[in-house]
Amino acid sequence: MKWTADLEQFPYPFKGSTYRYSNNSIPMHKPISVEVTSDYKKEMLLKRNLLTYHPERCYQSLPHTMTGQWEIVELVIDHLAAHYPNQFSVEKRNTIWIFSNKILDDKIEFVFGDEKSLPCEPLAFISHHVQEDLILMMQRDGDLYLDAGQLCFPANWSLAFNLGMKFKSIHHPIPGFKEEGLDDRILQFLMRLEAGNPWERKNWSLMAGDRLDTSLETFDQWGQLRKQVTKENAGKLVHIRVEVQKLFRLPRTNSILFTIHTHLLPLEQLAANSEWLQQFYDILSELPSHIADYKGISLYKDAVLDYLEKQLERVRAT
Amino acid sequence: MKNEAVFINGKRKYIFCGDDQGLKLLSSVMEKVNEEGLTHERFLLSDFKMSLLEDFLKSQKMGTFLYVALPSSELQQFLKAVEDIGFSDEDVQYIGYGEEKFSVFCCRCHEINTSNNEQKRLYCHRCGLELEVSDHYSAMHDAFLGYVAKL
């Protein structure tokens, strides 16, 4: 999936000339859980195929999550109808809802709160209408648990494995995350989230190739491209992968909706902005090896740096 | 699961259960409990006593601390039973001995494979992928994540 919109719209993730793990969440200016981009149709086709043919890796839920799932349906549908009225609408007659997705020409009538009125679980249903991955974290016993989720575009992790896991256990594989106390600080931050005050953050990595569906389950396939990166092809082959993550407290269940919108940009497009080019070169040059390893960059980091250097020379020469 | 029992102070009652070898591993903590005159009971485990043990544990009051010491390969079946009875992770210490077997979740096909301490790599018996065993653990699957061993 290539970036087709204006470059200025790309959610460029960096500040400063170095990068370290941090809680870089900020209060959301425009409190909307999902965003409809120019790639909507293309990405929805991909998502719906993944949900149909790979349900085990793309959708998981525990039985006690139904009320939270309905809260997500309500929040997302209300946001779609309010922010994209020409593309989405909802008619509510008491508990009977008629949701229209005009982009995909879908009209669904269901009874809000009644799972039997939908062909699948509520979270799975709404997942068929948004580009974002949707994760439900339920709060109990002073902790957050990943109790339901729809994940079509993961950055090399497994929803099936992580289901039911506590927040800190989910992040256990990140080097330094626990040792620096970051897992505890972020958990405390999340547990203080309030309904009506959503937050957002950006996360990034590099990847060889332009697949959105980089699941852990298929890593043996898509990971092969990491071995094919050279300084000559890095501009086209390597992409910066940015996740715009949004956090909403759901008041009824006191759980948290975590939405992840993934964007890919080939390095040659990033390099077209000379400020970004210099900044990203500085960041990648200085990036500690444990972060590069975890983000899956180490194998081709030098090739990317060579490519970026060449682009910088080109900029200096003009 | 631990290799050695640790005395936890301030409990209402202590229960030590295990087979002959397991109870030997608990002896230092039992001595400590004896010395301090704390309320305790021993329960020698053998196969036909499992239902008796469950009834015994169900009858305990809040604040009871449980030590279970058994061959590592047999401990898993007790974890779920003890949890269902109502003991939390904070109320129990599991001490395993002998060869430890654990489960490995295949990252590709989700099959649960069995491994031992020495095996850092194994082939998934369902899809054949070579897996590298990580220390990422899922309580729900009671398994460690097996990653792609080599690209």
Side-chain angles (χ1 to χ4, degrees):
Chain A
M1 289 276 177
K2 290 276 191 291
W3 182 259
T4 53
D6 187 341
L7 200 57
E8 284 180 17
Q9 302 298 308
F10 185 75
Y12 182 72
F14 300 115
K15 287 190 172 77
S17 57
T18 58
Y19 173 84
R20 294 294 183 275
Y21 294 129
S22 68
N23 178 12
N24 56 339
S25 303
I26 55 168
M28 213 179 287
H29 301 304
K30 189 169 123 181
I32 177 166
S33 52
V34 289
E35 186 191 6
V36 177
T37 71
S38 56
D39 292 320
Y40 181 84
K41 267 189 169 175
K42 202 167 42 173
E43 288 183 16
M44 290 320 303
L45 179 66
L46 174 60
K47 247 187 106 166
R48 288 182 175 198
N49 278 333
L50 286 164
L51 286 162
T52 301
Y53 296 111
H54 304 284
E56 197 186 353
R57 80 168 191 242
C58 296
Y59 188 81
Q60 294 280 342
S61 69
L62 295 174
H64 61 267
T65 58
M66 280 305 154
T67 308
Q69 289 192 37
W70 282 113
E71 272 194 284
I72 293 172
V73 168
E74 183 171 25
L75 184 86
V76 170
I77 283 182
D78 285 350
H79 283 177
L80 287 171
H83 292 273
Y84 302 99
N86 296 328
Q87 289 93 353
F88 301 92
S89 68
V90 63
E91 194 183 331
K92 301 178 185 178
R93 300 183 202 142
N94 295 322
T95 56
I96 296 172
W97 290 29
I98 301 164
F99 172 65
S100 296
N101 177 337
K102 292 158 195 162
I103 306 175
L104 300 176
D105 202 22
D106 282 344
K107 196 169 190 175
I108 305 102
E109 183 174 323
F110 59 93
V111 180
F112 187 85
D114 179 4
E115 287 92 67
K116 291 192 291 295
S117 66
L118 284 170
C120 54
E121 290 188 359
L123 180 62
F125 151 67
I126 199 60
S127 296
H128 284 74
H129 296 276
V130 294
Q131 290 159 270
E132 283 78 4
D133 288 322
L134 305 170
I135 303 293
L136 176 66
M137 302 287 295
M138 298 203 76
Q139 190 165 322
R140 61 182 173 277
D141 305 332
D143 216 324
L144 287 168
Y145 294 79
L146 198 171
D147 283 350
Q150 165 272 301
L151 186 77
C152 289
F153 305 146
N156 204 15
W157 61 283
S158 169
L159 176 66
F161 183 72
N162 285 10
L163 183 72
M165 214 177 263
K166 293 177 182 179
F167 179 84
K168 288 183 187 178
S169 300
I170 291 168
H171 295 88
H172 172 83
I174 305 176
F177 215 66
K178 181 176 192 281
E179 294 78 359
E180 294 163 21
L182 202 57
D183 59 351
D184 192 56
R185 289 203 300 278
I186 293 174
L187 176 61
Q188 298 311 319
F189 160 77
L190 289 172
M191 292 204 298
R192 288 197 303 271
L193 270 182
E194 294 171 334
N197 291 315
W199 290 64
E200 67 183 320
R201 69 181 291 262
K202 294 186 189 112
N203 194 18
W204 72 278
S205 61
L206 282 188
M207 66 167 299
D210 65 348
R211 277 177 68 137
L212 278 170
D213 55 318
T214 49
S215 65
L216 185 60
E217 285 83 352
T218 52
F219 175 66
D220 60 317
Q221 299 162 36
W222 59 264
Q224 299 293 342
L225 278 176
R226 290 179 180 181
K227 296 187 286 195
Q228 294 177 24
V229 178
T230 63
K231 62 182 177 189
E232 287 77 23
N233 68 15
K236 285 190 168 36
L237 183 59
V238 178
H239 290 66
I240 183 165
R241 182 185 176 101
V242 176
E243 292 181 352
V244 176
Q245 303 175 348
K246 297 180 174 183
L247 299 153
F248 281 76
R249 172 73 72 183
L250 303 170
R252 207 171 311 145
T253 53
N254 198 40
S255 51
I256 291 173
L257 167 65
F258 180 61
T259 76
I260 310 166
H261 197 134
T262 304
H263 305 270
L264 291 174
L265 186 74
L267 286 190
E268 65 180 3
Q269 275 187 271
L270 182 136
N273 179 319
S274 56
E275 276 179 37
W276 290 2
L277 171 63
Q278 182 65 59
Q279 188 176 32
F280 184 55
Y281 175 77
D282 292 343
I283 283 167
L284 197 60
S285 304
E286 193 276 342
L287 195 68
S289 58
H290 70 277
I291 297 180
D293 285 345
Y294 183 72
K295 288 186 180 286
I297 301 167
S298 300
L299 202 60
Y300 55 94
K301 182 179 152 187
D302 288 346
V304 168
L305 284 170
D306 287 346
Y307 167 78
L308 295 172
E309 270 174 32
K310 202 170 175 191
Q311 297 309 303
L312 282 166
E313 284 166 17
R314 179 185 52 79
V315 169
R316 288 185 201 113
T318 54
Chain B
M1 193 169 77
K2 298 177 188 297
N3 296 322
E4 202 176 314
V6 177
F7 174 66
I8 304 294
N9 196 17
K11 299 296 175 181
R12 178 180 195 164
K13 181 181 175 181
Y14 296 84
I15 294 172
F16 301 95
C17 82
D19 56 5
D20 286 326
Q21 175 64 23
L23 288 174
K24 281 180 195 159
L25 294 172
L26 300 178
S27 58
S28 63
V29 178
M30 282 196 267
E31 278 170 27
K32 174 94 177 158
V33 167
N34 262 325
E35 279 169 21
E36 306 217 355
L38 301 167
T39 309
H40 66 281
E41 278 188 75
R42 274 174 37 134
F43 199 102
L44 180 63
L45 263 177
S46 50
D47 290 345
F48 61 89
K49 279 191 178 171
M50 188 60 198
S51 60
L52 283 177
L53 173 66
E54 287 190 18
D55 291 341
F56 171 69
L57 292 179
K58 280 175 188 168
S59 69
Q60 300 305 316
K61 293 186 165 60
M62 294 289 285
T64 301
F65 195 86
L66 173 64
Y67 290 92
V68 182
L70 285 169
S72 298
S73 56
E74 292 175 30
L75 265 178
Q76 283 307 329
Q77 61 179 310
F78 283 86
L79 284 163
K80 184 91 180 71
V82 168
E83 188 184 334
D84 288 348
I85 287 164
F87 281 82
S88 73
D89 290 348
E90 288 75 30
D91 301 327
V92 192
Q93 267 182 41
Y94 296 98
I95 291 87
Y97 68 88
E99 188 187 59
E100 188 181 341
K101 286 204 168 0
F102 55 88
S103 299
V104 180
F105 182 96
C106 173
C107 67
R108 184 163 73 181
C109 75
H110 302 170
E111 183 71 357
I112 303 287
N113 296 264
T114 304
S115 182
N116 62 37
N117 271 345
E118 281 67 49
Q119 270 184 297
K120 294 292 172 243
R121 286 192 173 195
L122 67 152
Y123 288 91
C124 173
H125 62 75
R126 181 173 166 198
C127 73
L129 182 70
E130 190 179 7
L131 300 170
E132 184 164 6
V133 183
S134 76
D135 63 351
H136 195 195
Y137 177 74
S138 158
M140 178 166 283
H141 297 291
D142 183 28
F144 292 90
L145 182 57
Y147 285 100
V148 173
K150 57 176 184 280
L151 270 178

